Amino acid sequence: MLAFYNEHHGQHRGRVEIYRGEMVPCFEKPERADLVVAEFARRGLGQIVTPRGVSLASLERIHTPRYLHFLRNAWNDWLALDPANAGKDAFPSVWPVRSLRDDIEPDNFSARMGLYSMDSGTPLTAGTWIAAKTGADCAVNAAHALRLGEKGTFALTRPPGHHAGADFFGGYCFLNNAALAAQHLLDDGARKVAILDIDYHHGNGTQSIFYRRDDVLFVSIHGDPRTEFPFYLGHADETGDGAGLGYNMNLPLARGATPAQWFAALETACIRIASYAPDALVVSLGVDTWAGDPISSFTLQSADFLRIGERIGYLGLPAAFVFEGGYAVDEIGVNVVNVLEGFETAA
Ligand code: OKP
Ligand code: ZN
């Protein structure tokens, strides 16, 4: 399996996030990707290469120009407020919820942060743009390699992407790497692409990007949004809209779901994907479903991740795996690489 990795991810290093009224150390930290790349190399799963940079135009296939402009300049705008801001991460504090206008971009930096975000748990840092951009490069390169004949590829991206929408960040995510990979496959000649999102959290950004389209099937297994982040999307009755009706499948599971329940949902997901008969598959690979994850509640064991990879491999589809969540840092490498190894043995 060919892996795409860019060490610039390490430049996105949030200091703290706001959690239950307190500033706590960020869960989404550089060590996550460092440990995965080390385990991938240790197990000799394949070559690890640095991606070529993709054009801004390919990011604009998914994200709006004004959001990309905001994101690229946000850190400089933050510094322009006060040079002392260099020592602090930027957070939004006000949002245009129902009845407020989101069609006019305010001049005020905090107000623009709120316009382009969904939560206060996602620090924007000096290295956020470079990390997000080089992560997106990994994802698009991983998709492109499938078009060149690779059977399985891995985009070792950080920060994650599946909560990011066309024009907002949140849930630790800034650019939607999985969506960019799927769109690149289509732009390069694939007719249909499926995205399987197995991160613990619902991929609200990915769902919303493709909700009205039938050329991308989105299937997600996740913690029930009644109790789990991102709370406001991910219910089973969200099945797509317009041309996209029938091309969105959510499989929410209650807190504490067992491996048996999780694998039953995976079977449902795989049956739907097989019937869609896509040309390629993108997997949003989060391992925060592991029993020991500090911010999640499922109970998968490390060996289960091998079985997940095998089941995905049996689909017989070219697949680009895009790294998302997983916060139990000690185990993260083993769990991620288990999925990839399982895929390799079955594909
Ligand atoms: C990103 B991905 C915990 C609060 C939860 C948002 C979680 C985002 C998860 N301190 N904040 O889907 O793994
Ligand atoms: Zn997650």
Side-chain angles (χ1 to χ4, degrees):
M1 176 168 293
L2 183 57
F4 293 89
Y5 173 75
N6 195 312
E7 63 189 14
H8 287 311
H9 78 81
Q11 295 191 50
H12 178 66
R13 188 180 288 270
R15 295 166 173 83
V16 286
E17 64 179 77
I18 302 164
Y19 182 60
R20 295 188 177 161
E22 280 185 320
M23 302 301 261
V24 302
C26 286
F27 290 91
E28 203 293 288
K29 49 191 175 187
E31 292 70 25
R32 299 177 57 250
D34 297 341
L35 287 170
V36 175
V37 77
E39 181 68 7
F40 188 95
R42 194 185 71 79
R43 305 245 295 255
L45 228 66
Q47 231 192 316
I48 302 166
V49 300
T50 307
R52 307 177 74 111
V54 304
S55 69
L56 219 49
S58 60
L59 303 186
E60 287 179 0
R61 296 290 294 142
I62 293 297
H63 295 285
T64 67
R66 74 171 201 170
Y67 173 61
L68 293 169
H69 183 265
F70 161 78
L71 204 56
R72 248 184 326 163
N73 294 296
W75 187 254
N76 277 339
D77 294 350
W78 171 240
L79 291 184
L81 290 178
D82 180 349
N85 281 350
K88 297 178 283 183
D89 300 341
F91 289 91
S93 56
V94 58
W95 289 269
V97 297
R98 293 161 299 288
S99 85
L100 301 182
R101 286 183 66 173
D102 63 6
D103 60 319
I104 298 175
E105 181 170 300
D107 296 333
N108 179 279
F109 178 72
S110 280
R112 285 188 292 124
M113 284 286 278
L115 182 65
Y116 293 118
S117 69
M118 63 178 280
D119 74 353
S120 69
T122 309
L124 195 150
T125 78
T128 294
W129 170 257
I130 181 78
K133 169 63 168 63
T134 55
D137 292 341
C138 290
V140 173
N141 279 246
H144 195 70
L146 295 185
R147 299 297 297 166
L148 297 176
E150 294 288 330
K151 292 206 66 178
T153 57
F154 178 41
L156 213 183
T157 50
R158 216 201 117 256
H162 71 154
H163 297 302
D167 65 354
F168 62 86
F169 68 90
Y172 312 152
C173 304
F174 295 89
L175 295 175
N176 195 310
N177 303 311
L180 288 161
Q183 186 64 50
H184 182 80
L185 288 162
L186 294 167
D187 291 344
D188 200 57
R191 284 174 311 109
K192 294 190 289 181
V193 175
I195 301 176
L196 172 63
D197 189 327
I198 57 172
D199 185 278
Y200 177 82
H201 304 92
H202 176 252
N204 61 283
T206 317
Q207 167 171 314
S208 66
I209 286 164
F210 298 115
Y211 204 60
R212 299 178 58 84
R213 291 170 50 172
D214 61 4
D215 56 348
V216 177
L217 169 71
F218 179 69
V219 182
S220 178
I221 306 168
H222 51 268
D224 191 322
R226 285 179 174 80
T227 61
E228 307 309 295
F229 187 89
F231 307 116
Y232 310 112
L233 210 66
H235 297 277
D237 67 351
E238 297 156 15
T239 55
D241 194 22
L245 188 61
Y247 297 93
N248 195 88
M249 177 182 255
N250 283 329
L251 300 165
L253 298 173
R255 282 188 68 82
T258 62
Q261 291 168 322
W262 197 92
F263 276 95
L266 181 64
E267 197 52 37
T268 303
C270 287
I271 289 167
R272 177 68 189 102
I273 290 166
S275 78
Y276 182 63
D279 300 310
L281 177 67
V282 174
V283 180
S284 265
L285 175 55
V287 294
D288 38 11
T289 48
W290 185 64
D293 193 87
I295 66 168
S296 309
S297 78
F298 289 171
T299 58
L300 296 186
Q301 305 299 306
S302 289
D304 289 329
F305 290 96
L306 280 165
R307 294 167 55 206
I308 294 171
E310 281 170 17
R311 182 63 188 90
I312 294 171
Y314 292 143
L315 288 167
L317 296 167
F321 290 82
V322 178
F323 187 39
E324 302 280 3
Y327 305 97
V329 169
D330 288 348
E331 313 291 333
I332 198 169
V334 169
N335 292 344
V336 168
V337 178
N338 275 1
V339 174
L340 304 176
E341 189 181 313
F343 175 86
E344 293 272 85
T345 59

